[in-house]
Amino acid sequence: MEFADLPGLFPPGVRVYVTDIGKNERFTQVMATRRVRDLGYKPVPHIAVRRIFDPVAFENHVRTMAEEAGVRDVLIVGGGVDKPAGPFAGSIDLLETGMFDKYGISDIAIAGHPEGSPDFSEAEAIDILKLKRDFGERTGARMRIVTQFGFDGRKFAEWAGGLSAHGIDLPVHIGVAGPAKLTTMVKYAAICGVGNSVSFLKKRSGSLATLMGGFSPDEVVEPIEAYARSNPASAIQQLHVFPFGGIKGTAAWLIERGTWDDKRGGGA
């Protein structure tokens, strides 16, 4: 995390997501969340469920983040590994332990996959979201969906809009990549498993040669915002921005386009 660039970079209270970088770096995540809180932002630590190998040690980690860094909001994801390191096979398993409520963490983000996931079918993905919706209704946790990033903004917006047909009314924060080199985008898309978006990006770029240029997220964001304006009752609440090209450049782009002044499109 670029701490030197963070002071005053975002509006007060903006969510800043803090990545879970592995079982041996818990202390680093605690320090990062504390620093984010001290700067006046809202820290949201990532929790990679399938990477948790020791539930007792992990609960101590959650308690420390809550008590020492004031964490009240988390993002829970599967973790991108085939075999769980411990007893939690999925996010719902961790949620049902009750540890987040125990430590006053009541805002919980869960993953959404507009382009699908190699780990489960589209029907299974909907069933998983319903389980988490039911968990929120049963416990009072404020659940929201944060999606993977992609380059087909219209497709992502329509996916979010279609959730209501399945009885899922959770707020949706749509993932978009901030300004970066196109080659950087292709690299991260491959790492994050959003292959369909890579194909879409290459088609829109015209040729692989143009990938040496820069990527502007406006072409992705504009269809999302247009959809939200045309469908004010949709679940789309705001953007969730991945700063692959750097935090400073991403913040400058959000400020220039006035995103943080638009209640429908606040950056994350």
Side-chain angles (χ1 to χ4, degrees):
M1 180 171 290
E2 302 170 52
F3 284 138
D5 295 331
L6 280 177
L9 193 60
F10 309 138
V14 164
R15 287 187 176 100
V16 176
Y17 289 74
V18 182
T19 304
D20 179 350
I21 55 178
K23 64 185 181 183
N24 296 322
E25 300 295 340
R26 298 294 187 200
F27 177 75
T28 301
Q29 192 179 44
V30 170
M31 295 296 292
T33 54
R34 183 185 300 157
R35 176 61 170 156
V36 167
R37 173 67 67 186
D38 289 346
L39 289 172
Y41 311 133
K42 186 175 183 179
V44 185
H46 286 201
I47 294 172
V49 172
R50 291 189 175 189
R51 298 180 184 273
I52 299 170
F53 71 100
D54 182 341
V56 174
F58 178 74
E59 180 169 350
N60 287 334
H61 176 61
V62 171
R63 176 184 56 78
T64 301
M65 288 195 297
E67 294 179 355
E68 296 187 12
V71 168
R72 297 293 180 266
D73 192 343
V74 295
L75 168 62
I76 303 177
V77 298
V81 294
D82 294 333
K83 184 178 179 180
F88 305 121
S91 301
I92 193 65
D93 300 327
L94 182 60
L95 289 170
E96 293 289 3
T97 66
M99 75 169 66
F100 297 108
D101 182 61
K102 180 178 179 180
Y103 297 109
I105 297 173
S106 55
D107 287 284
I108 299 175
I110 55 176
H113 302 87
E115 293 190 336
S117 169
D119 298 327
F120 37 74
S121 68
E122 183 175 347
E124 289 171 326
I126 292 297
D127 288 341
I128 291 169
L129 289 176
K130 288 179 178 178
L131 285 174
K132 295 169 184 176
R133 173 206 61 193
D134 294 346
F135 172 84
E137 292 175 352
R138 187 173 71 250
T139 65
R142 291 184 291 271
M143 310 294 290
R144 69 184 184 279
I145 298 170
V146 174
T147 80
Q148 64 193 156
F149 76 95
F151 305 110
D152 188 344
R154 180 71 186 182
K155 178 179 180 179
F156 274 46
E158 290 176 349
W159 176 87
L163 291 175
S164 60
H166 300 284
I168 299 170
D169 58 356
L170 301 177
V172 178
H173 296 189
I174 295 184
V176 298
K181 293 181 179 179
L182 284 168
T183 48
T184 300
M185 291 296 93
V186 171
K187 179 184 74 173
Y188 278 109
I191 292 171
C192 298
V194 288
N196 291 337
S197 268
V198 174
S199 298
F200 180 84
L201 179 62
K202 289 178 179 177
K203 289 177 183 178
R204 296 304 294 267
S205 299
S207 71
L208 287 175
T210 64
L211 292 178
M212 296 304 294
F215 164 76
S216 172
D218 290 305
E219 190 173 347
V220 178
V221 172
E222 287 168 2
I224 296 170
E225 293 179 331
Y227 184 95
R229 286 193 297 269
S230 300
N231 301 272
S234 77
I236 299 171
Q237 188 175 86
Q238 68 174 63
L239 304 177
H240 174 74
V241 184
F242 294 76
F244 296 135
I247 293 176
K248 290 181 68 175
T250 299
W253 167 70
L254 288 167
I255 292 169
E256 181 180 359
R257 68 186 311 275
T259 296
W260 275 317
D261 294 327
D262 181 352
K263 65 180 179 179
R264 294 288 298 186

